[in-house]
Amino acid sequence: PHWEPRNWQQQLERIREMRKKRDAPVDEMGVEKCYDSSAPPQVMRYQVLLSLMLSSQTKDQVTSAAMLRLRQRGLTVDSVLQMDDVTLGQIIYPVGFWRNKVKYIKQTTAILKQKYGGDIPRTVEELVQLPGVGPKMAHLAMNIAWDSVSGIAVDTHVHRITNRLKWVKKETRHPEETRVALEDWLPRDLWREINWLLVGFGQQTCLPVNPRCNECLNQDICPAAKR
């Protein structure tokens, strides 16, 4: 018989209820709001990838502001390649690990220009080969840039919450491990939704420290709830 967590459908339904206002930082300033939707498709996809690269270990508000500053200069593969490292650093600061990200962005952009004609790759396998691009970013890029569901994008929020809800058979230590565990049982038609749903829930209610259990609709059926 196929394993699935206890009460997961009820828990999911209640999280949807808590998220229906769509007013978390991810809804207002997440990656899907960072690119120029009027840009040519190729430029749009590049901007999606760049915002994902900037977003790691960085709050949505900070990523969004950095993307806005970049876009004010016309954010394309060519404009980034023409920019010197110091200027790029000044524009993206204070995103987390901005010095590393300057290096990764320049390297990745050069690869996109040489190998992909200025577009981004169409597979997770190729995306994770790019400097500074991890599995979570690759799955989100496939979803947002290519409108293709390749897997569940697991960040720290998704990792933390699915462990708290016991949506993994046994506790997982890393987001990649969590992704594999979730994909094993969660119906595929929910893969696209689960990232934004849990990220916003993690930003507003199921916080890393001092989760707001008393405000959570799942308090009575959450294994981790402080009752």
Side-chain angles (χ1 to χ4, degrees), residues 89-210:
Q90 286 167 343
I91 297 172
I92 68 169
Y93 180 85
V95 300
F97 303 101
W98 62 274
R99 287 189 181 85
N100 286 345
K101 287 178 185 175
V102 166
K103 193 173 67 194
Y104 294 147
I105 287 169
K106 291 304 274 286
Q107 290 171 344
T108 284
T109 306
I111 293 167
L112 298 180
K113 174 90 171 166
Q114 289 152 13
K115 197 172 167 187
Y116 298 98
D119 209 335
I120 73 168
R122 294 193 79 118
T123 67
V124 170
E125 293 70 33
E126 291 171 292
L127 283 161
V128 294
Q129 298 293 313
L130 299 168
V133 178
K136 176 205 75 171
M137 297 180 208
H139 289 297
L140 277 174
M142 289 298 293
N143 186 345
I144 301 165
W146 292 114
D147 194 27
S148 163
V149 179
S150 55
I152 299 170
V154 177
D155 72 339
T156 55
H157 294 291
V158 178
H159 173 64
R160 173 178 79 253
I161 294 164
T162 50
N163 272 280
R164 281 178 180 171
L165 289 170
K166 302 255 188 285
W167 281 13
V168 287
K169 210 183 269 186
K170 56 179 199 289
E171 194 177 344
T172 53
R173 304 207 32 199
H174 308 289
E176 237 337 68
E177 222 183 312
T178 307
R179 179 182 69 78
V180 174
L182 280 174
E183 287 178 5
D184 191 47
W185 69 267
L186 188 73
R188 203 182 168 96
D189 58 348
L190 299 172
W191 288 12
R192 187 190 289 264
E193 176 191 25
I194 214 76
N195 178 270
W196 82 264
L197 205 56
L198 295 187
V199 170
F201 178 56
Q203 289 174 334
Q204 293 182 307
T205 309
C206 200
L207 308 173
V209 183
N210 302 326

